[in-house]
Amino acid sequence: MSNDHTTTAPLLRVQDLRTYFPVRSGRFGTTRRVVKSVDGVSFELHRGKTLGLVGESGCGKTTLARTVLRLTAATSGTVTFDGQDVFAMAPRDVRRLRRHMQIVFQDPVGSLNPRLRVGTIVGEAPVVHGLVHSAAEADRLVADLLTRVGLSPDDRYRYPHEFSGGQRQRIGIARALALQPSLIVCDEPISALDVSIQAQILNLLADLQHDLGLTYLFIAHDLAVVRHVSDNVAVMYLGKIVEQAPTSQLFSDPRHPYTRALLASAPDFVPLGDAGTPRMLAGEPPSPIDPPPGCAFHPRCPIAVGECGRSTPVLETPAGLPADHRVACFRADERTEARESPAPTRQTSNADGS
C-alpha cells in the first residue's frame, strides 16, 4: 500500500521505546522481576506508508502499538507524532491527539458495543470531538462512512449482532475513519475473519489509504499478508526489532535467522539454509520474565556462536546492504541463498455478505 501523500519528515517516530510490566510476588506484592514486553524499539513511519510489524504471538507487537497510542504507559523512550512529543502531552492535549491516531482491533465482535446501534457506534466520536454540530449532520456523516466501507446507509439502524464478521470489521474501520485520522493502527484486523473475507478487508484498507492518504501501522503474524500490504517490514522477537527493511528487500535477502525461519514457514517462500534445505523454526520462545543472556534468539538459532550468548547485537546495517536494511545479528553478513516467490498480486475473494 502506498500513494503520493508522502513528506520528508516522518509522521511517526519511535525512539528507544521500552514498556516493562512488574511481576509482583510475596505477601506484600514486592516487585522482584519485570516483563520486558517492549525493549528498546526504534522506527520511523512516513505519511501515506504502511509499516508491517510481524512476529510470533507474545513478542510485544500489540503492547508496542498500545504504547504508541498512549493506551499503555511507557517505561522510557519517546514517541513523536507529526512533530509532537506524545508522552509529554497534557491529558487534554492527548484527547485532541486521539482524532489523528485511531485503531482497528483484532476482534470485530468484542470491539463493538452490542447494546448500541451502528449509527451510534460510528457517530459518537465525531460528536464528542465537535466535528459535527447537529444530529442531522452526524447522521449524514455515518451514512457516508458506511457507504465508503461497503455497507448500506440503512445499516446504521441495526445492532452489531445482526452482521457477519467481515461486516463488523467494516463497521470498526468506519468508526476509525470517523475522526479523519492520519494514522491508523491495524492490530491483526483480519486474523479473526474467514479466509474468504480477509482479502476483501485488505483491499478495502488499500483503497482507503489511496483515497485518503492514510498511514498504517499494520500488525500481523501472517507473512503473506504483511508482504501484500506493507511498504516496510519490522520483525519483532521477544520485545525487540531484529530486522527491518523495505518489503521487497527483506523478502529477497533476509539476513536474521529468525526472519529466515519465519519465511521458511510460509508455503510460497522457502529460504534455504547453508546446506540448501529449509530451516524451520524449532522450539518455543523463552519466557519474557526470564530471557536468556545475549541475543534472545540464540537458544533457537541454528547458526549461533559463543558471542551470541554473551552479548546483545544492535540493530545496524551490515556491509553490502542498503542503509534502510538493518539487522540485529552478529552473523548477518553471511548471505543465505533464498528462492523468492512470485510478486504478490491484488487479492480477490467471494463476497462476505455485505
Side-chain angles (χ1 to χ4, degrees), residues 64 99 253 257 349:
L64 171 59
R99 272 200 55 193
D253 191 13
S349 68

Side-chain angles (χ1 to χ4, degrees), residues 207-285:
D207 291 340
L208 292 171
Q209 184 176 48
H210 181 271
D211 295 341
L212 304 176
L214 298 172
T215 306
Y216 291 144
L217 177 59
F218 194 97
I219 299 171
H221 60 268
D222 188 326
L223 282 165
V225 170
V226 169
R227 189 178 191 186
H228 177 68
V229 304
S230 304
D231 298 289
N232 294 275
V233 178
V235 180
M236 281 192 74
Y237 186 81
L238 211 67
K240 296 179 181 290
I241 291 179
V242 297
E243 186 163 9
Q244 184 175 358
T247 303
S248 59
Q249 172 70 20
L250 184 133
F251 277 80
S252 64
D253 191 13
R255 291 301 184 93
H256 197 282
Y258 178 61
T259 306
R260 297 172 185 169
L262 289 179
L263 293 174
S265 67
D268 61 344
F269 187 100
V270 183
L272 303 179
D274 296 340
T277 57
R279 286 198 154 156
M280 304 296 286
L281 187 59
E284 296 292 332

Side-chain angles (χ1 to χ4, degrees), residues 43-85:
F43 64 85
E44 293 182 351
L45 178 53
H46 287 263
R47 192 180 299 272
K49 299 294 185 178
T50 298
L51 174 65
L53 193 61
V54 65
E56 293 173 281
S57 297
C59 71
K61 304 186 299 296
T62 295
T63 301
L64 171 59
R66 291 181 61 86
T67 305
V68 166
L69 296 173
R70 252 187 81 162
L71 298 176
T72 297
T75 302
S76 64
T78 60
V79 172
T80 306
F81 178 79
D82 204 12
Q84 303 176 78
D85 187 339

